[in-house]
Amino acid sequence: MKKFIIYIILAFSLYIILLEVTTRVFDLSEQTVPEANLNNNMLLKPNTEGVWVKGGMREIASHYKINNQGFNSLKDYTVLDSNKINIAIIGDSFIEGFHTDVENSIGRLIEADTRDEIEVHEYGKSGGNIVDFSLIFKQWIKNRYDYTFILISDRDLDAYDAFFMEKGNKIPKNSIIRKIYNHLSSIRYININHGLHIKLKEIFSCYRCSKNNQNTNITQYVNSTALQEFDKSCVFIYEKDKLSPDIIATSIKLPCLEIIHQNKPHTYGFDSHWNLNGRKNCAWVIEHYIKHNIVH
Amino acid sequence: MLFNSIDFAIFLPIVFLMYWFVFHKNLKLQNILIVVISYFFYAWWDWRFLSLIIFSTLVDYTIGLKLENEKKQLKRKILLWVSILVNLGCLGFFKYYNFFLDNFITAFSYFGMHIKTNNLNIILPIGISFYTFQTLSYTIDVYHKKLKPTKDLIVFSAFVSFFPQLVAGPIERASNLLPQFTKKRIFNNENAIKGIRLILWGLIKKVVIADSLAPTVNDIFTNFSQYPSSILLLGTFFFSFQIYCDFSGYSMIARGVAKLFGFELMTNFKYPYFSRSIGEFWRKWHISLTTWFRDYLYIPIGGSRVSKLKTIINVCIVFLVSGFWHGANWTFIAWGGLHALLFIPAILTTKKNRIKDHISLNAFKLPSLSDSIRILCTFCLVSFCWIFFRADSIDTAILFIQKILLFNFESINYLNPYDNQPLGIEYLFLSVFILVEYLLATKTISLYSKNRTKGIFIDAVLFLIITFSAQICSNLSFIYFQF
């Protein structure tokens, strides 16, 4: 038995070394995008830039740039041009947009299509829910933009607690474990591509609860208080299968636009976020709505 | 719990350490641990169906004991039939109820009788076909006095529910596995290292080959009407490798895990795609099921010791039942029937003309031209039959074949739906895999390493390849779990 355990330890150590070397040489591991406490909000560290990597074989490698406000965008959201139509887009990871180059974000696509007649600011943060969106709206958007588009799904609407807004104090301190994690490309690779952290959490905390939660796509509860925070400048956008028609009919009083898949959004098996085609679809819906509104 | 999941990667070391460090002094405690962890392993999927395994265990355990004490042949026969009816009754209800109901309704509708019934929403308990056959073999062997029944319920429960092979085999014979539970297990370093290699190679087959081919196969078989013949042929050949790697991968992992716990399970696959005839293929494919049908169905109904015509009928019965065992769909029966037709020439040829299982190689380690052609032809025939196995219905399979027969070899840039990229890495994986399998089949290389340092390096590299190929959310279930 002793020999076998030594064999396993040696094989496993060699495996970790090989994994570390390979992931570094081929740049397969995501560099963690650092978070920052900005006015007590848990956002991304301003003025950081890099390549965001996902996929076992670097299938996604996209350029990101964090602006002064802590969002992934080429622009800082300080000055608005009164000669342009100013719009804001709020949402979760789909709007945050790490899955394509920041140069191809929904905002940049709209601006390019309209020859800069429209100025777009994107307020996206992964994990965000309706409470976060309402707080973003109150803090940065209300009465500043001509239009605000909010990407929602069933799962965003049943939250009663913000995920990242007003949670700046929750940013993990640079503990030894975290430093090791940040420095070990192999561990980051396993964590991102095999969901090690999520799996361990599931198994050792509340496996059944989390499993049930994952399976719940259609919610029966809607946080109507958060929904009431949005004013008439706001428009909700959604994907057909991700927002129930009942909720649209009964709970949402503002306009709702369905994102029509004009371009086939190819998603990866390991990542269901939009690629460029998905973003084009979203941009087209927003542009079309604005043009239609101006004409009328 | 899937072998290719992180859940299992955590489960296995824990139970391994408990088994060899906490419970190693007492055989009974080790067996109790095996039963508990096997039930836990099964309950991870759905705890409700544990009752079915326990029920099956109790029935066959009791009947086994009664058979030993019973001297009257009639009563013994009744006991045997009780076991057969209970086991096949459970299997029939859970697996075939809706199939029979639908077919009865369809059959009556031909005579103008329209019967209104409701289909039951029955969930197929995972692995039911495997453990049912395993327990049946025990009762039949006891009935034929080939095996002494065990008086130890824990041992018998462990035999029925042994977790490495509980859900997808190999279907073990009581005469092989049961005695292993009654002997004290001593940890064997060499065997454990072999077990690790088997697990890793099994995972390579499953995760690297089968799972990487799955999106392409699923897409081609779902949208076959949109593709030319060339793509459909590609889908067919890919499925041949997918199902082989998926199932043989599972069997290898099962054998490897069993070795870690001091058990030996039978080899289920012996490089079947290097067979030179359908007969040889069936001696190398899903061996545990093939031999089960041979011993408990083919031979009892006469086998080959009857006239040629009767032998052909017997073979057809076995293949049709084997097809039906796989699933409640006419596609599986058609698959079995096709194999029966392909098997008939082997019955008609004399024993002298039958080819040996070992391929003779020339100086370049290559088979002769005639053997190469035979291997290729057998593979193409087997792949053709897989179309029925994979298709949703007979109609779909026929349409799929019709589309192939259009011989439209239009060159299209097929994109893998998984990553929207042209197939490239899949071809590479498959080519390397076929080469390694060939070298293993011809015994040019061995799966196990005699040199310890080399072994450590190979295991680390295999694990590395698995890590790079496996992806979150893509740990797909094994195809044979549905049977």
Side-chain angles (χ1 to χ4, degrees):
Chain A
M1 180 60 90
K2 202 175 156 188
K3 280 182 182 174
F4 178 69
I5 290 173
I6 292 169
Y7 182 94
I8 293 294
I9 291 170
L10 287 174
F12 192 73
S13 308
L14 182 61
Y15 158 75
I16 290 288
I17 293 166
L18 289 174
L19 186 62
E20 185 67 29
V21 171
T22 326
T23 48
R24 278 177 191 270
V25 169
F26 295 102
D27 203 6
L28 296 172
S29 224
E30 176 203 3
Q31 295 294 322
T32 316
V33 184
E35 288 181 314
N37 182 346
L38 302 176
N39 298 323
N40 200 32
N41 299 317
M42 192 166 70
L43 293 162
L44 301 168
K45 193 178 174 185
N47 304 315
T48 44
E49 195 172 349
V51 177
W52 190 86
V53 176
K54 195 170 182 188
M57 295 179 196
R58 216 170 186 267
E59 283 89 344
I60 303 176
S62 47
H63 175 221
Y64 70 85
K65 192 174 187 300
I66 311 303
N67 68 7
N68 273 329
Q69 285 69 40
F71 295 99
N72 182 25
S73 176
L74 289 175
K75 296 180 173 185
D76 289 327
Y77 305 153
T78 41
V79 186
L80 290 173
D81 189 341
S82 55
N83 296 323
K84 292 181 179 179
I85 299 169
N86 293 297
I87 70 166
I89 307 176
I90 310 174
D92 57 5
S93 48
F94 287 86
I95 301 300
E96 184 182 51
F98 277 123
H99 315 88
T100 53
D101 291 330
V102 68
E103 290 80 4
N104 292 324
S105 69
I106 297 166
R108 302 302 79 74
L109 292 175
I110 295 172
E111 286 170 359
D113 269 7
T114 57
R115 294 177 188 173
D116 286 335
E117 283 176 12
I118 299 176
E119 172 87 7
V120 187
H121 291 173
E122 296 135 307
Y123 295 86
K125 175 86 165 58
S126 54
N129 58 47
I130 194 68
V131 183
D132 291 297
F133 302 161
S134 67
L135 290 171
I136 287 176
F137 183 73
K138 273 202 286 189
Q139 192 167 328
W140 286 294
I141 297 169
K142 201 169 186 179
N143 301 327
R144 283 186 72 210
Y145 292 87
D146 299 311
Y147 296 96
T148 302
F149 293 87
I150 306 125
L151 177 73
I152 51 166
S153 68
D154 288 323
R155 288 177 70 177
D156 300 326
L157 292 174
D158 70 349
Y160 287 83
D161 187 23
F163 184 76
F164 65 88
M165 291 295 282
E166 300 178 348
K167 302 277 176 185
N169 58 345
K170 282 196 171 180
I171 292 171
K173 286 180 184 143
N174 243 357
S175 62
I176 295 170
I177 294 172
R178 201 159 183 86
K179 277 180 186 165
I180 293 170
Y181 177 81
N182 287 339
H183 283 93
L184 281 180
S185 172
S186 50
I187 306 294
R188 285 204 311 277
Y189 180 88
I190 294 173
N191 192 36
I192 296 297
N193 293 301
H194 301 284
L196 188 67
H197 173 69
I198 301 163
K199 210 70 207 177
L200 289 174
K201 217 172 165 183
E202 269 180 13
I203 291 169
F204 292 112
S205 59
C206 177
Y207 179 76
R208 287 290 162 200
C209 305
S210 51
K211 202 174 175 184
N212 290 342
N213 286 345
Q214 278 173 9
N215 292 337
T216 313
N217 286 323
I218 294 172
T219 177
Q220 295 172 339
Y221 306 102
V222 172
N223 185 344
S224 47
T225 316
L227 274 175
Q228 280 167 8
E229 296 291 343
F230 300 104
D231 63 23
K232 284 183 177 175
S233 70
C234 296
V235 177
F236 289 101
I237 50 175
Y238 67 96
E239 282 190 297
K240 197 181 177 182
D241 300 332
K242 291 183 180 167
L243 189 63
S244 105
D246 288 348
I247 288 179
I248 298 171
T250 56
S251 306
I252 301 175
K253 310 292 177 214
L254 294 166
C256 287
L257 298 179
E258 186 191 327
I259 301 167
I260 298 156
H261 288 182
Q262 293 197 327
N263 304 292
K264 190 184 170 193
H266 298 292
T267 51
Y268 292 96
F270 59 87
D271 188 292
S272 60
H273 289 87
W274 291 327
N275 66 353
L276 187 58
N277 280 358
R279 272 153 234 278
K280 280 180 183 169
N281 294 334
C282 193
W284 185 87
V285 169
I286 292 171
E287 265 177 65
H288 191 76
Y289 178 82
I290 293 169
K291 280 177 192 167
H292 186 262
N293 255 22
I294 290 168
V295 171
H296 291 87
Chain B
M1 199 181 295
L2 295 170
F3 283 161
N4 53 331
S5 65
I6 290 187
D7 303 2
F8 187 72
I10 295 166
F11 168 83
L12 184 64
I14 294 171
V15 295
F16 176 82
L17 293 173
M18 281 167 70
Y19 183 81
W20 289 113
F21 287 100
V22 183
F23 294 86
H24 66 292
K25 283 181 183 164
N26 187 320
L27 183 67
K28 192 150 189 117
L29 282 178
Q30 269 191 333
N31 287 337
I32 290 171
L33 179 71
I34 286 177
V35 175
V36 172
I37 60 177
S38 298
Y39 285 172
F40 177 79
F41 176 85
Y42 192 82
W44 197 258
W45 170 70
D46 196 329
W47 60 270
R48 290 169 301 173
F49 292 117
L50 260 184
S51 54
L52 214 59
I53 296 180
I54 295 168
F55 174 68
S56 182
T57 306
L58 290 174
V59 167
D60 284 288
Y61 171 75
T62 316
I63 288 177
L65 289 179
K66 284 196 182 298
L67 276 171
E68 195 192 24
N69 299 328
E70 187 57 62
K71 300 284 179 264
K72 286 180 184 169
Q73 191 54 28
L74 181 67
K75 282 193 176 174
R76 284 172 60 79
K77 207 163 219 171
I78 291 169
L79 284 169
L80 174 69
W81 276 102
V82 169
S83 167
I84 292 172
L85 289 174
V86 167
N87 282 299
L88 294 184
C90 285
L91 183 65
F93 175 75
F94 284 100
K95 196 165 176 174
Y96 302 107
Y97 176 83
N98 283 335
F99 174 78
F100 281 119
L101 192 70
D102 289 342
N103 282 285
F104 270 122
I105 294 167
T106 312
F108 278 107
S109 70
Y110 286 127
F111 301 104
M113 296 161 75
H114 297 285
I115 304 165
K116 278 188 181 175
T117 52
N118 289 328
N119 274 16
L120 295 180
N121 189 16
I122 301 168
I123 303 168
L124 180 67
I126 203 162
I128 189 169
S129 308
F130 291 91
Y131 67 75
T132 300
F133 270 40
Q134 190 156 307
T135 51
L136 265 179
S137 78
Y138 167 82
T139 319
I140 297 169
D141 283 353
V142 171
Y143 172 78
H144 288 299
K145 295 183 179 169
K146 288 179 187 167
L147 182 77
K148 271 191 89 63
T150 177
K151 291 186 172 105
D152 190 334
L153 180 60
I154 297 296
V155 165
F156 187 70
S157 306
F159 158 72
V160 177
S161 64
F162 188 41
F163 75 94
Q165 43 90 246
L166 173 61
V167 287
I171 303 166
E172 278 297 329
R173 299 302 172 76
S175 54
N176 174 42
L177 188 56
L178 205 55
Q180 296 187 51
F181 285 101
T182 55
K183 282 183 203 154
K184 186 163 172 58
R185 268 90 67 184
I186 298 158
F187 185 81
N188 183 310
N189 188 44
E190 292 303 315
N191 264 348
I193 290 172
K194 282 181 179 176
I196 293 290
R197 180 62 57 81
L198 280 169
I199 293 171
L200 290 173
W201 187 240
L203 282 171
I204 289 269
K205 282 181 164 184
K206 166 67 182 159
V207 173
V208 182
I209 310 296
D211 287 356
S212 68
L213 299 178
T216 307
V217 171
N218 292 345
D219 175 55
I220 294 173
F221 273 84
T222 310
N223 306 309
F224 68 92
S225 56
Q226 299 168 14
Y227 292 121
S229 309
S230 47
I231 298 297
L232 301 193
L233 281 175
L234 181 81
T236 307
F237 292 133
F238 269 20
F239 181 65
S240 301
F241 284 103
Q242 187 202 350
I243 193 156
Y244 168 61
C245 291
D246 192 283
F247 193 23
S248 69
Y250 181 92
S251 298
M252 281 189 120
I253 301 168
R255 279 179 61 214
V257 173
K259 270 185 191 290
L260 288 180
F261 290 80
F263 291 88
E264 286 297 328
L265 299 182
M266 70 187 293
T267 306
N268 219 6
F269 293 87
K270 288 182 180 171
Y271 314 106
Y273 287 156
F274 294 106
S275 304
R276 287 151 298 165
S277 68
I278 292 293
E280 191 186 352
F281 173 80
W282 278 105
R283 286 195 294 278
K284 294 177 172 179
W285 178 274
H286 202 174
I287 299 164
S288 63
L289 182 72
T290 313
T291 50
W292 196 100
F293 277 121
R294 182 196 65 199
D295 295 346
Y296 299 110
L297 182 63
Y298 182 64
I299 292 173
I301 58 174
S304 59
R305 292 186 175 182
V306 284
S307 67
K308 289 255 169 169
L309 179 67
K310 186 75 195 347
T311 307
I312 290 169
I313 293 168
N314 290 346
V315 164
C316 289
I317 290 170
V318 170
F319 273 109
L320 291 173
V321 173
S322 167
F324 198 47
W325 175 90
H326 282 86
N329 194 330
W330 285 104
T331 52
F332 296 113
I333 298 170
W335 170 76
L338 276 173
H339 271 283
L341 289 176
L342 296 172
F343 199 86
I344 290 169
I347 304 165
L348 300 173
T349 43
T350 56
K351 279 187 181 174
K352 278 181 189 174
N353 293 334
R354 276 186 205 166
I355 43 180
K356 288 172 191 168
D357 279 359
H358 298 293
I359 305 168
S360 41
L361 304 177
N362 62 22
F364 301 102
K365 299 273 178 196
L366 292 169
S368 64
L369 184 66
S370 65
D371 272 353
S372 304
I373 293 168
R374 281 173 170 177
I375 289 170
L376 204 65
C377 289
T378 308
F379 175 71
C380 288
L381 288 172
V382 169
S383 296
F384 174 78
C385 296
W386 285 131
I387 294 173
F388 284 87
F389 195 93
R390 177 61 181 75
D392 300 331
S393 66
I394 297 275
D395 291 346
T396 312
I398 291 169
L399 287 171
F400 192 96
I401 293 163
Q402 278 176 348
K403 197 93 204 289
I404 290 178
L405 294 176
L406 290 176
F407 296 113
N408 171 11
F409 293 105
E410 177 194 334
S411 166
I412 66 161
N413 187 19
Y414 180 80
L415 299 176
N416 183 352
Y418 178 72
D419 55 8
N420 204 36
Q421 298 294 317
L423 297 171
I425 197 94
E426 291 80 4
Y427 290 134
L428 177 73
F429 283 158
L430 202 54
S431 309
V432 174
F433 172 74
I434 293 169
L435 177 68
V436 175
E437 280 274 298
Y438 175 75
L439 296 174
L440 287 169
T442 54
K443 295 189 170 64
T444 312
I445 59 167
S446 168
L447 186 63
Y448 310 114
S449 318
K450 281 181 187 160
N451 182 322
R452 194 57 50 85
T453 317
K454 198 173 147 190
I456 288 171
F457 183 76
I458 292 172
D459 283 347
V461 171
L462 290 178
F463 198 11
L464 193 71
I465 296 169
I466 293 162
T467 310
F468 285 134
S469 305
Q471 295 276 12
I472 186 170
C473 302
S474 64
N475 51 351
L476 305 171
S477 184
F478 290 85
I479 295 174
Y480 263 69
F481 275 22
Q482 63 185 295
F483 308 137

